[in-house]
Amino acid sequence: FIQSNLRCDRMEQTGANAANDLESLKPDFWTNADVGSWLKLNGFQHLISKFRDHDISGPVLMMLSEQDLRKPPLSLQKLGEIKQLSYNIRRLQLAYNVTPTKSHKYLRHSDSIDSGSKDMRSSGGSLLPKNEGIKLFVATLYALVSLILTTIAMTIAHDRVPDMKTIPPLPDIFLDNIPTIPNAFEAAEWCAVTLTALFSCLILVHKHRFVIIRRYFSIIGTVFLLRALTMMSTTLSVPGKHLDNCEIRIGESWDSKYQHVLNIWRGAGLSVAGVRTCGDYMFSGHTAVLTVLNLFVCEYSPMKLRFIQTLSWSLNFFGAFFILAAHEHYTIDVIVAFYITSRTFAYYHVLANSLAHKQRNSKELTWSWFPLFSFFEENVDSILANEYEWPWTPVIEFIVRKRQILSRLREERRKNLTSCETRRTQ
């Protein structure tokens, strides 16, 4: 009787500590010890060593079914024990919207708060999925560095542009046959702005928004690094005589060059924001942005809404046409920009949608093209599903789920304490 009371006292203390520890973590991050605490909290302390021997952590626990408990290597024999443990595991699975038949998705394919890819699990009850904040920060930093280097390359290319008086525009089959259309370049930029708004709306309602944003930054960063390289390698002559702001800036101080870089950065390279540059022709940055936005919208928008894809492609091609109609770029600039951007997008997604990047030599294959690919896509091994939700849905689900877990743990703790009190009275 005394031993029973002592056991109940210890259960009260350890049960309270275990409940507090488990309340602060989702099963995604339960270690073997956490699973042991959960077993003890539910009255299965005699199974702790067996679960520990088979390295059953939180994610593995969430995948267990009644058949797994019956069959080797666990091989539980008592029917009541099997049913009770299966019932408790099932309650835990329901709390996190996971079923045994879909348990592979729990470890592989949840890119949001609910369930899916391993890199998208919440950390310590946080709304931001695990590692996704770090990945998003790194992707953003990578894109910013690429854009800064491109801006510097644009400033240098402007100072190297050939003299318009001595070197005329190169022969071009489109520019030679189409007259300059006033304000066409501004129209191209408004096409880009419209595509940006469309892409932003898609990001807001897409369930896997974090993955899409990091992929966008990774691809746009790589494309603009290539653009900076091509601009520095070869400087083409001015494509139109109407571009009268392309004089070479000789003898400028470093402060003036810094101001040029800052002006380009502030205006995002847009002429509607007052940015005018020359020499940055090979290849067209405007076409690259139009193309990558179009491809992302078409890839991650609902296939049933065909008018969205049609609108996106129309904005892409009309934007490219306006760029040429304004005589701001050579035709080869636009063609090369579309080809490089589309091939970069396709190459990235083919790798991300397959298991090729899981192979031994994958890092060597992807490092030269996407330096951070292995880090970004390490836990993605299949095509990203197009699933949609309102942006506030994860917040509401998080709050509801947190309350359910806390309520369940308190109820189980109350039952254990009641059981101890019953033993004392006996």
Side-chain angles (χ1 to χ4, degrees):
F1 176 76
I2 295 175
Q3 290 178 350
S4 177
N5 284 339
L6 290 175
R7 249 185 272 118
C8 287
D9 291 337
R10 286 195 298 269
M11 183 182 296
E12 291 179 10
Q13 296 175 356
T14 58
N17 294 334
N20 291 333
D21 292 339
L22 293 176
E23 285 178 3
S24 62
L25 283 178
K26 287 180 62 179
D28 307 41
F29 297 97
W30 285 5
T31 62
N32 296 344
D34 295 324
V35 172
S37 299
W38 180 82
L39 289 170
K40 191 171 185 180
L41 192 62
N42 288 278
F44 299 99
Q45 54 268 23
H46 58 286
L47 297 177
I48 294 177
S49 59
K50 178 174 289 190
F51 274 56
R52 183 175 58 248
D53 293 341
H54 293 290
D55 197 25
I56 297 179
S57 58
V60 179
L61 179 68
M62 295 289 282
M63 298 176 66
L64 290 180
S65 64
E66 184 175 330
Q67 293 299 321
D68 296 325
L69 301 177
R70 293 176 179 272
K71 295 179 180 179
L74 293 178
S75 300
L76 301 185
Q77 300 298 322
K78 296 181 179 180
L79 178 62
E81 182 179 71
I82 293 173
K83 291 294 185 180
Q84 184 62 38
L85 182 55
S86 176
Y87 170 74
N88 289 337
I89 293 175
R90 180 59 179 153
R91 288 181 61 188
L92 194 62
Q93 291 170 341
L94 289 174
Y96 290 90
N97 195 26
V98 177
T99 61
T101 57
K102 297 182 180 180
S103 57
H104 65 285
K105 291 186 179 180
Y106 182 77
L107 288 178
R108 184 190 70 182
H109 222 247
S110 146
D111 302 307
S112 70
I113 291 296
D114 296 13
S115 56
S117 163
K118 287 182 284 186
D119 63 338
M120 299 298 294
R121 302 176 192 156
S122 293
S123 175
S126 171
L127 278 174
L128 189 61
K130 182 187 178 184
N131 290 337
E132 198 60 23
I134 298 175
K135 291 181 179 181
L136 187 57
F137 173 78
V138 173
T140 304
L141 185 63
Y142 173 63
L144 287 176
V145 171
S146 300
L147 293 175
I148 290 173
L149 292 176
T150 302
T151 305
I152 296 173
M154 291 170 65
T155 304
I156 297 174
H158 186 104
D159 295 337
R160 296 174 53 196
V161 67
D163 189 359
M164 296 175 58
K165 299 178 182 179
T166 58
I167 302 180
L170 298 174
D172 187 284
I173 191 171
F174 188 93
L175 304 186
D176 293 343
N177 294 280
I178 301 295
T180 304
I181 301 178
N183 301 321
F185 198 58
E186 287 76 6
E189 292 180 343
W190 281 113
C191 289
V193 171
T194 305
L195 273 174
T196 302
L198 193 60
F199 177 64
S200 301
C201 292
L202 177 63
I203 289 298
L204 284 176
V205 299
H206 204 288
K207 191 173 183 179
H208 312 300
R209 56 185 67 87
F210 295 110
V211 178
I212 298 175
I213 293 173
R214 76 163 182 246
R215 287 181 176 181
Y216 174 79
F217 282 144
S218 180
I219 292 173
I220 205 71
T222 300
V223 169
F224 273 83
L225 278 179
L226 291 172
R227 183 170 185 257
L229 180 63
T230 56
M231 283 191 297
M232 294 294 294
S233 301
T234 304
T235 303
L236 302 178
S237 61
V238 180
K241 295 181 180 180
H242 66 291
L243 300 174
D244 53 0
N245 62 324
C246 293
E247 292 82 6
I248 300 177
R249 301 182 290 239
I250 301 176
E252 280 193 335
S253 63
W254 286 105
D255 290 338
S256 298
K257 294 182 183 296
Y258 171 75
Q259 287 299 323
H260 291 310
V261 172
L262 193 60
N263 290 335
I264 295 173
W265 181 258
R266 286 175 178 173
L270 299 175
S271 63
V272 293
V275 177
R276 302 297 300 182
T277 58
C278 296
D280 55 330
Y281 300 125
M282 181 57 70
F283 48 90
S284 171
H286 285 69
T287 304
V289 171
L290 285 165
T291 303
V292 74
L293 288 171
N294 167 41
L295 294 175
F296 267 93
V297 169
C298 292
E299 178 72 15
Y300 296 108
S301 60
M303 293 303 296
K304 294 181 180 179
L305 303 180
R306 291 290 184 182
F307 73 92
I308 294 180
Q309 287 86 9
T310 302
L311 175 63
S312 181
W313 277 106
S314 299
L315 290 170
N316 190 176
F317 284 117
F318 273 107
F321 170 79
F322 288 140
I323 291 171
L324 293 175
H327 288 213
E328 292 280 349
H329 276 281
Y330 291 104
T331 305
I332 189 64
D333 302 340
V334 174
I335 293 175
V336 170
F338 180 84
Y339 181 81
I340 289 180
T341 306
S342 60
R343 293 311 91 196
T344 303
F345 178 91
Y347 181 39
Y348 190 103
H349 282 77
V350 165
L351 285 175
N353 294 342
S354 68
L355 294 176
H357 64 280
K358 301 287 185 181
Q359 298 174 357
R360 182 176 300 178
N361 61 343
S362 62
K363 292 185 178 180
E364 299 177 359
L365 292 173
T366 58
W367 178 257
S368 59
W369 201 247
F370 301 108
L372 299 170
F373 178 87
S374 298
F375 172 62
F376 289 153
E377 308 292 337
E378 60 184 349
N379 295 316
V380 178
D381 55 11
S382 61
I383 298 175
L384 196 66
N386 281 335
E387 300 173 330
Y388 307 95
E389 65 181 10
W390 293 112
W392 53 81
T393 300
V395 180
I396 297 175
E397 291 180 351
F398 170 79
I399 296 173
V400 172
R401 185 176 302 159
K402 189 70 173 179
R403 289 180 178 177
Q404 290 175 347
I405 295 172
L406 292 176
S407 177
R408 178 173 53 83
L409 290 175
R410 291 193 187 101
E411 180 66 21
E412 291 174 352
R413 180 183 174 186
R414 186 186 64 78
K415 289 181 180 179
N416 289 332
L417 293 176
T418 302
S419 176
C420 288
E421 290 294 336
T422 303
R423 291 181 182 179
R424 283 198 184 98
T425 56
Q426 293 176 350

